[in-house]
Amino acid sequence: FYRRVFSAVHGETIDADGLHRIMQESTGPTWLALPKADKTDTASVRKAWDARNHGTTLSEYEFTLGGSPCRFPVTISPSNWGIAFSAPAEVFLQAYLGVRAPRDTRGLPLRSAMGIWAHRFVELAARNAGADEDWAELAIAASDDHLSEMRAALATQGRTIPSWWLSCLAQARSKAVGFSRVAGEQSKWFQPLVERRIPDGSVKLNSGNSLSYGGRFDLLLSDIHPLPNLSFHGGNQKLLDFKTGSDKPLKGAKSLARFEGLQLALYILGLKQRGAGRVEAALVTDGEPWSAQLTDDDIETPEAMEVFERMAKMQANGLFGWTGIVRDTYSQGCAYPMATVAPVVNIAAKFNNTHFLNN
């Protein structure tokens, strides 16, 4: 793998001795045996350098703020909270520094397109469904209409649909049919609300910190009509979040204690703040029958409230790096345009190179 990377970058091959030499240059004595710095302004850099290069496994990273960042309110979307403990650097950089990764770096463009199409077909099925209509058939009709529109648009340019588009569309159609079957079964007793946004708000916790909520849900089924601003006078609500990936079903408060299902938990919290009665939610990944995976009872447990307090503290003071892991060992995170400098032997010179604003 590393030989292929080297060849792609440098346009030439490298043998085993060359790889060994690069390893020695990057991790060997030249880097480890740096002179100790006497200046107090480089002490923190020296400490971090030593920790990285002497076998110390870091349980946190340096993307944290020493004090409160809040000259202005910082809000984190429910979808970002869903990955805040598995990809904390990504969420921290976006929320507090305004650094966003290119949109297609968290997965292949085909996967993104498939998810967008699948959600769109379910949305059209829900909006067009009558009392006794089959949602799955409506999703199929929506995908057929989309295919016809694409063919017509490309035909004006003398082109045809690429085969990989057709493959991606077929996968989106299959997912949409499964989602629609689950949603359609539940809609017999509930009024569907599709792709609606919960107005932004916050709830004050026992610690005094406030936790923000809001966000756009995929599908909400309610047995009463909501008010125009998505408020309720009780009733029963079912929240369906469609996932085209390999998300596992949630297991109530146990999942929240493992920082899983936070996106749905914040949706439930927001709905309860807006007068909803009994709220049940689930991640829908296939055509399996509906079953509640997270409820309003779950978000009121001591385990859930402890997680909410932790989230509110993170939101208030920006201390993301002290919670959770830096990244999953087996997954690919986002690519960021982070600046780096060439390795230097003198730690003080390295400090000056990377902290030029102090000069």
Side-chain angles (χ1 to χ4, degrees):
F1 172 76
Y2 291 107
R3 290 180 182 177
R4 292 199 300 270
V5 172
F6 186 92
S7 176
V9 172
H10 298 282
E12 59 185 44
T13 59
I14 186 171
D15 57 17
D17 292 336
L19 285 176
H20 181 73
R21 185 183 67 257
I22 292 175
M23 182 183 300
Q24 289 299 316
E25 290 175 354
S26 59
T27 61
T30 302
W31 282 47
L32 296 179
L34 294 173
K36 297 294 182 180
D38 296 329
K39 295 182 179 180
T40 57
D41 58 355
T42 63
S44 60
V45 178
R46 178 77 224 192
K47 182 178 179 181
W49 185 275
D50 289 340
R52 288 193 196 96
N53 293 282
H54 285 81
T56 302
T57 300
L58 299 181
S59 59
E60 66 267 354
Y61 56 96
E62 290 110 16
F63 289 145
T64 58
L65 303 179
S68 173
C70 296
R71 292 183 180 179
F72 54 89
V74 174
T75 58
I76 299 170
S77 68
S79 58
N80 274 346
W81 273 122
I83 62 171
F85 290 89
S86 60
E90 178 180 340
V91 177
F92 175 86
L93 289 172
Q94 178 176 324
Y96 294 91
L97 302 183
V99 178
R100 295 174 180 265
R103 295 191 64 179
D104 61 350
T105 57
R106 285 192 60 82
L108 297 175
L110 281 178
R111 185 190 306 169
S112 177
M114 188 264 286
I116 292 173
W117 282 339
H119 281 74
R120 179 59 176 164
F121 299 156
V122 177
E123 178 185 354
L124 292 173
R127 294 189 187 281
N128 297 328
D132 298 318
E133 290 191 82
D134 188 337
W135 282 38
E137 292 298 326
L138 292 173
I140 293 173
S143 69
D144 290 341
D145 291 342
H146 187 67
L147 178 60
S148 298
E149 292 172 1
M150 287 195 300
R151 280 188 171 136
L154 290 173
T156 62
Q157 305 300 316
R159 299 175 58 188
T160 59
I161 297 180
S163 58
W164 54 271
W165 277 28
L166 295 174
S167 174
C168 183
L169 187 62
Q171 294 179 61
R173 173 175 171 157
S174 176
K175 285 287 185 181
V177 168
F179 295 157
S180 298
R181 285 202 178 106
V182 175
E185 284 295 319
Q186 298 302 310
S187 69
K188 295 177 180 179
W189 299 276
F190 294 86
Q191 175 188 2
L193 301 171
V194 190
E195 294 289 342
R196 292 282 297 274
R197 181 173 182 82
I198 301 174
D200 293 337
S202 63
V203 56
K204 196 166 186 177
L205 304 177
N206 293 334
S207 64
N209 289 323
S210 295
L211 180 62
S212 299
Y213 62 80
R216 183 185 299 274
F217 55 74
D218 290 339
L219 179 65
L220 179 69
L221 303 171
S222 177
D223 64 353
I224 63 171
H225 290 278
L227 299 176
N229 61 347
L230 202 66
S231 295
F232 298 87
H233 292 300
N236 296 285
Q237 288 78 33
K238 293 188 177 184
L239 190 62
L240 284 72
D241 191 20
F242 303 120
K243 299 294 185 183
T244 56
S246 56
D247 299 72
K248 295 181 180 179
L250 301 176
K251 297 182 179 180
K254 292 182 179 179
S255 292
L256 294 182
R258 297 193 298 268
F259 311 112
E260 299 169 355
L262 298 182
Q263 180 178 0
L264 278 182
L266 287 174
Y267 288 157
I268 295 175
L269 182 65
L271 291 171
K272 293 293 290 184
Q273 292 294 308
R274 306 190 66 77
R278 173 68 174 174
V279 184
E280 300 177 336
L283 301 177
V284 180
T285 58
D286 48 36
E288 292 296 323
W290 158 272
S291 63
Q293 301 170 13
L294 196 66
T295 69
D296 54 308
D297 291 334
D298 293 320
I299 70 168
E300 296 175 358
T301 61
E303 295 85 355
M305 295 308 300
E306 181 179 351
V307 173
F308 288 155
E309 291 281 9
R310 190 169 179 178
M311 293 164 63
K313 184 177 180 181
M314 291 164 63
Q315 179 179 289
N317 58 27
L319 295 178
F320 267 56
W322 295 358
T323 59
I325 60 175
V326 178
R327 64 180 179 181
D328 192 301
T329 305
Y330 303 103
S331 66
Q332 179 181 357
C334 283
Y336 289 97
M338 303 300 288
T340 59
V341 296
V344 291
V345 174
N346 189 307
I347 191 68
K350 178 177 176 63
F351 181 88
N352 289 332
N353 284 339
T354 57
H355 295 71
F356 57 89
L357 292 179
N358 292 334
N359 294 338

